[in-house]
Amino acid sequence: MSAAIRVEGLVKTYGGRHPVRALDGVDLDVPEGTVLGLLGPNGAGKTTVVRILAGLLRPDAGQARVLGLDVARDPERVRALIGLSGQYAAVDDTLTARENLVLVGRLHHLGKRNSSARATELLDRFGLTEARDRVVKGFSGGMRRRLDLAAALVAEPAVLFLDEPTTGLDPRSRMDLWDVLAELVASGTTLLLTTQYLEEADRLADAIAVVDHGRVIARGTADELKERVGGERVSVVVRDRARLDAAVAALDGLGLAPPRAEPRTRGITLPVRGGARVLMEALRRLDAVGIELDDAALRKPTLDDVFLGLTGHAARPADANADADAADPDAAATAGSRA
Ligand code: ATP
């Protein structure tokens, strides 16, 4: 299988008074017809990779090739072959959904009739037929995302770049979009997707590259990454912060690594093997020393866990966790296994 996307030694520093080395030597290889998930926290460098690959930004060093073309040398040809969707506000707020798609078709020289037919087909595929004659300004975030993605698909690109396609969507819209993307991939599109959600990469990607501080710090399938950080977590929230240390002591030795306490949330997490049985044992131990809990769960590793396991630091700043968790699809996975 030949590589649809190949990136070697990409380096990019943004200038200014405090220069930021956004990419520090990134290598990537995406075989044709496969999906690569670029997984990393805010500021890891994901968008910078996508912008370079789409010919919107020049790297300081390294090479990016898309479908055999050197992006720095042939940015326009590359842009004509790819689809790009994400944090770029590609759709025009003052036009209707249909007008936007037809316009994109015309920009790609599809001709009037073909542009119109393609718009009809995509509006249907993305559930926007009813909204087709409404001006985009009044669209919800989810509708906008779908339209943006539809616009990226007008010219039927063989390679598609999606920059955090589901950030900000509610769980239902996120799952709908995953279905559409899975269909696209099944039809042979090569996809590079950036995301902050392990579950999203898990669902869609054949391979995952974990990015942190402009470097790829791990590669593998979702299962391989989870295995590397331990498959499951027991997490509990103690009622009384003063008993946190006692709870950690009670749980010591039960997991694959020492329990990790977070005083701010009164939470303790530990990677375990053995599922519900270990959760029961944890509850027994805590009960035996009289520790009361507000919550207890067995859950799959989140991106935070993968990051912590791989880098020793959290994926998101501590003060961002509360908000981010509310929107984290991994959080939904714990709901069914709450004790
Ligand atoms: P996010 O999820 O927030 O989009 P990301 O992983 O896509 O994050 P990038 O947007 O690529 O990360 O940013 C990488 C680093 O480069 C960050 O530290 C960011 O602040 C910095 N950066 C990005 N764009 C610029 C710019 N135009 N000028 C200066 N610094 C920038």
Side-chain angles (χ1 to χ4, degrees):
M1 221 180 326
S2 58
I5 302 168
R6 175 161 286 164
V7 163
E8 272 171 346
L10 276 197
V11 173
K12 178 72 194 175
T13 300
Y14 291 105
R17 200 155 359 133
H18 304 288
V20 178
R21 199 168 173 85
L23 300 182
D24 194 16
V26 169
D27 300 327
L28 300 169
D29 231 335
V30 190
E32 250 171 53
T34 69
V35 182
L36 175 73
L38 267 191
L39 181 71
N42 283 132
K46 307 180 300 292
T47 300
T48 303
V49 171
V50 170
R51 292 183 64 206
I52 290 172
L53 279 166
L56 300 173
L57 186 70
R58 284 183 82 93
D60 301 331
Q63 208 187 33
R65 300 186 83 84
V66 174
L67 296 168
L69 295 170
D70 183 331
V71 181
R73 211 173 290 162
D74 267 325
E76 263 130 53
R77 273 176 78 196
V78 169
R79 272 199 295 274
L81 292 172
I82 63 159
L84 175 65
S85 168
Q87 314 169 11
Y88 308 95
V91 294
D92 186 332
D93 263 9
T94 63
L95 300 180
T96 67
R98 186 181 175 78
E99 284 166 348
N100 262 292
L101 297 184
V102 171
L103 178 68
V104 174
R106 299 305 297 268
L107 290 173
H108 280 279
H109 309 294
L110 290 191
K112 201 168 177 182
R113 189 181 301 174
N114 278 345
S115 298
S116 174
R118 191 78 184 122
T120 303
E121 186 190 328
L122 286 165
L123 288 165
D124 178 46
R125 183 162 180 188
F126 286 89
L128 291 168
T129 299
E130 272 179 37
R132 72 187 163 198
D133 295 322
R134 279 171 49 195
V135 172
V136 172
K137 202 178 283 170
F139 276 21
S140 70
M143 291 164 80
R144 219 171 250 274
R145 286 274 166 163
R146 279 181 280 150
L147 182 64
D148 190 59
L149 184 56
L153 296 177
V154 166
E156 301 187 75
V159 175
L160 189 61
F161 298 110
L162 300 180
D163 197 7
E164 301 198 11
T166 65
T167 293
L169 293 190
D170 61 70
R172 178 63 209 269
S173 309
R174 172 175 285 145
M175 280 189 252
D176 286 348
L177 199 55
W178 287 349
D179 287 342
V180 174
L181 294 178
E183 260 176 52
L184 268 180
V185 170
S187 70
T189 308
T190 304
L191 176 61
L192 186 146
L193 158 102
T194 80
T195 183
Q196 301 186 36
Y197 303 122
L198 181 63
E199 188 174 314
E200 183 156 289
D202 201 351
R203 167 77 201 276
L204 296 169
D206 298 299
I208 295 173
V210 182
V211 189
D212 188 32
H213 296 305
R215 287 175 167 275
V216 177
I217 57 167
R219 296 168 205 268
T221 63
D223 285 345
E224 286 164 358
L225 291 175
K226 284 183 199 168
E227 201 52 42
R228 273 177 74 169
V229 298
E232 294 169 309
R233 262 70 197 141
V234 160
S235 60
V236 296
V237 176
V238 303
R239 179 154 302 164
D240 179 1
R241 187 170 287 126
R243 304 293 317 273
L244 203 56
D245 289 343
V248 167
L251 295 175
D252 195 33
L254 183 64
L256 303 171
R260 177 170 64 91
E262 207 183 305
R264 191 180 57 85
T265 57
R266 292 174 280 117
I268 301 175
T269 303
L270 71 161
V272 299
R273 190 164 288 138
R277 195 176 43 75
V278 186
L279 176 62
M280 297 279 281
E281 173 61 18
L283 297 179
R284 262 195 296 270
R285 286 186 183 196
L286 294 168
D287 194 43
V289 291
I291 289 171
E292 286 187 83
L293 299 178
D294 278 346
D295 198 9
L298 183 68
R299 60 176 176 80
K300 292 187 261 172
T302 62
L303 173 59
D304 281 333
D305 300 319
V306 171
F307 257 80
L308 199 72
L310 292 172
T311 67
H313 69 80
R316 293 180 286 232
D319 60 352
N321 274 345
D323 290 345
D325 283 347
D328 190 336
D330 291 331
T334 68
S337 51
R338 295 261 182 239

